[in-house]
Amino acid sequence: MTVTVLTLLKRREGMSKADFIAYYETKHRLIGEKVLSGWASRYERLHLHPLDGATLAHDYDVVLEIDFPDQATCDACFAAMADPATMNEIVDDEVKLFDRSRMRTYAVERHRSML
């Protein structure tokens, strides 16, 4: 059964939304692809744009969704990412992009309505 991990991410202070998306999609995404390759079956970034047109600061700028084929693969991937060299590469790039104090990661339990 597929396991989905969802992470809410906020861009770092002073970074524009356009610069945030450009950096994430041209640089940080590549690190994600490298460390998730062979483990995850889906790595998707959902960039959030307020429908009310408000330019106020919002709680999060992107929702990250990662699917794994099962819990054992998810656990093995997170264990592999905990390797100090891998973790340093991830964190060194995250500080250029995110407010790391605001990161929140969740396991997803899905309930779907058929309409």
Side-chain angles (χ1 to χ4, degrees):
M1 183 160 127
T2 299
V3 172
T4 299
V5 174
L6 182 139
T7 302
L8 303 173
L9 300 160
K10 175 74 180 151
R11 70 182 184 260
R12 70 172 170 75
E13 186 71 32
M15 183 176 234
S16 74
K17 175 80 95 174
D19 288 346
F20 173 76
I21 293 170
Y23 188 92
Y24 202 144
E25 295 304 321
T26 61
K27 299 201 180 354
H28 192 73
R29 169 187 61 87
L30 301 176
I31 295 170
E33 289 173 357
K34 181 173 83 171
V35 301
L36 294 169
S37 182
W39 305 102
S41 57
R42 183 173 66 99
Y43 170 47
E44 189 168 356
R45 290 132 342 259
L46 307 165
H47 294 280
L48 304 175
H49 301 276
L51 289 176
D52 61 7
T55 58
L56 303 171
H58 292 272
D59 291 335
Y60 295 100
D61 293 293
V62 65
V63 177
L64 172 62
E65 288 188 38
I66 304 170
D67 285 345
F68 297 93
D70 52 50
Q71 190 62 55
T73 304
C74 178
D75 294 344
C77 179
F78 278 91
M81 286 191 308
D83 169 74
T86 302
M87 188 52 65
N88 285 341
E89 180 181 12
I90 294 168
V91 171
D92 287 349
D93 200 59
E94 284 179 348
V95 298
K96 298 173 186 173
L97 191 58
F98 304 118
D99 176 347
R100 295 191 76 247
S101 71
R102 305 282 305 278
M103 292 176 149
R104 300 293 179 268
T105 299
Y106 302 91
V108 174
E109 178 181 334
R110 290 190 189 272
H111 298 268
R112 182 174 296 175
S113 296
M114 299 308 289
L115 303 175

